Amino acid sequence: MRDRYAIIAPDSHVPSVLPGWTDTTAHILISPAMGANLVQTSFVLGPKATGSGQTGQDQHFYYVLEGKCRINGKDLSAGHYAWLPPGTKFEISSPGAKLMYFAKRYEPLAGTAVPAALFGDAAKVAEAPYLGDPHLRLRGLIPETNLGHDFAVNIFTFDPGATLPFVEIHIMEHGLLVLEGGGIYRLNEDFHPVHQGDVIWMAPYCPQWFIAKGPGPTRYLYCKNVNRDATLNPH
Ligand code: UGY
Ligand code: MN
């Protein structure tokens, strides 16, 4: 952990008991307690798992890594996801699943409606080459073209040896999970090997770059605040 980033590997996880959840092991990986403006939590749901509550002023995003679960009446399995707007009750049940969860305070935009709840399947979302590189492909799971959305969740796929095209420095903050493969992440001036299951927090303006190793593809799931003038809307 550094001031502007953290890499949280599975062997350091310590579970939390979360009110509203039964038969569930939760690891809160990224949170405001470390200076982040987002939350990223891993949920391992047992055979009798239930979770319920209210999104309140936040938006929730659930991505199914393994198994099956039901979120607000929709049946989801691996690769499926749910985005819940603020002010939404949620009811989750499962016979066993692993979920990755992201949440962020929703920032309303005057004159623009809050989008309705969204359910999807990552496999059905079209992949596009990133900045013209066919070896680096992006899937946007939330339609960012709707300015009502202030939070993007994407999946990046890198062929072996593919890289982010330049060292990024940007106001947006990321929470990230390596879904498959691995490589070397540059964060600030530091270079770290990362593997499947590793989580990375990148604060705003943290310099970031990545090169994927082989032999297979590398995929990561990450979130990003978008579509708001954060210079004028401090949290
Ligand atoms: O969307 C992004 O900012 C992305 N290119 N960043 C990243 O993968 N670290
Ligand atoms: Mn970035």
Side-chain angles (χ1 to χ4, degrees):
M1 163 104 198
R2 299 281 186 274
D3 282 355
R4 309 304 294 160
Y5 73 86
I7 299 177
I8 303 126
D11 59 3
S12 65
H13 292 181
V14 175
S16 295
V17 172
L18 294 189
W21 293 82
T22 61
D23 193 20
T24 296
T25 305
H27 295 102
I28 303 170
L29 304 166
I30 298 177
S31 76
M34 70 204 288
N37 289 305
L38 58 92
V39 171
Q40 183 171 340
T41 299
S42 117
F43 287 104
V44 179
L45 305 176
K48 295 194 174 122
T50 58
S52 61
Q54 257 281 350
T55 58
Q57 293 181 296
D58 297 338
Q59 58 199 304
H60 288 190
F61 182 93
Y62 297 88
Y63 183 87
V64 183
L65 297 165
E66 278 178 32
K68 293 186 186 314
C69 71
R70 175 172 283 208
I71 300 184
N72 287 4
K74 301 268 191 224
D75 288 318
L76 307 180
S77 54
H80 293 173
Y81 58 89
W83 178 83
L84 304 179
T88 305
K89 274 176 80 172
F90 63 89
E91 294 279 349
I92 299 177
S93 59
S94 170
K98 285 189 184 170
L99 308 181
M100 190 53 61
Y101 159 86
F102 299 103
K104 190 186 84 64
R105 177 69 52 94
Y106 180 76
E107 295 167 57
L109 184 62
T112 304
V114 178
L118 176 79
F119 296 86
D121 176 357
K124 294 197 175 133
V125 176
E127 246 183 6
Y130 187 66
L131 299 180
D133 182 352
H135 298 293
L136 173 55
R137 298 171 296 279
L138 193 65
R139 281 193 161 101
L141 305 188
I142 292 178
E144 268 181 75
T145 47
N146 175 352
L147 292 183
H149 281 293
D150 70 349
F151 199 43
V153 181
N154 303 324
I155 295 178
F156 244 142
T157 302
F158 294 74
D159 289 337
T163 69
L164 285 180
F166 53 89
V167 180
E168 299 178 5
I169 301 178
H170 51 59
I171 191 168
M172 296 77 96
E173 179 177 3
H174 295 313
L176 181 156
L177 169 71
V178 181
L179 294 169
E180 181 182 7
I184 304 288
Y185 233 101
R186 174 181 165 169
L187 299 158
N188 287 343
E189 307 303 315
D190 310 328
F191 291 79
H192 295 280
V194 295
H195 310 101
Q196 183 178 348
D198 287 346
V199 162
I200 307 177
W201 169 58
M202 290 172 245
Y205 299 108
C206 176
Q208 57 201 254
W209 179 82
F210 179 67
I211 181 165
K213 70 177 183 64
T218 291
R219 290 189 307 130
Y220 61 68
L221 174 74
Y222 73 101
C223 67
K224 176 176 180 177
N225 47 311
V226 293
N227 289 344
R228 297 293 181 273
D229 184 351
T231 58
L232 300 175
N233 288 302
H235 292 279

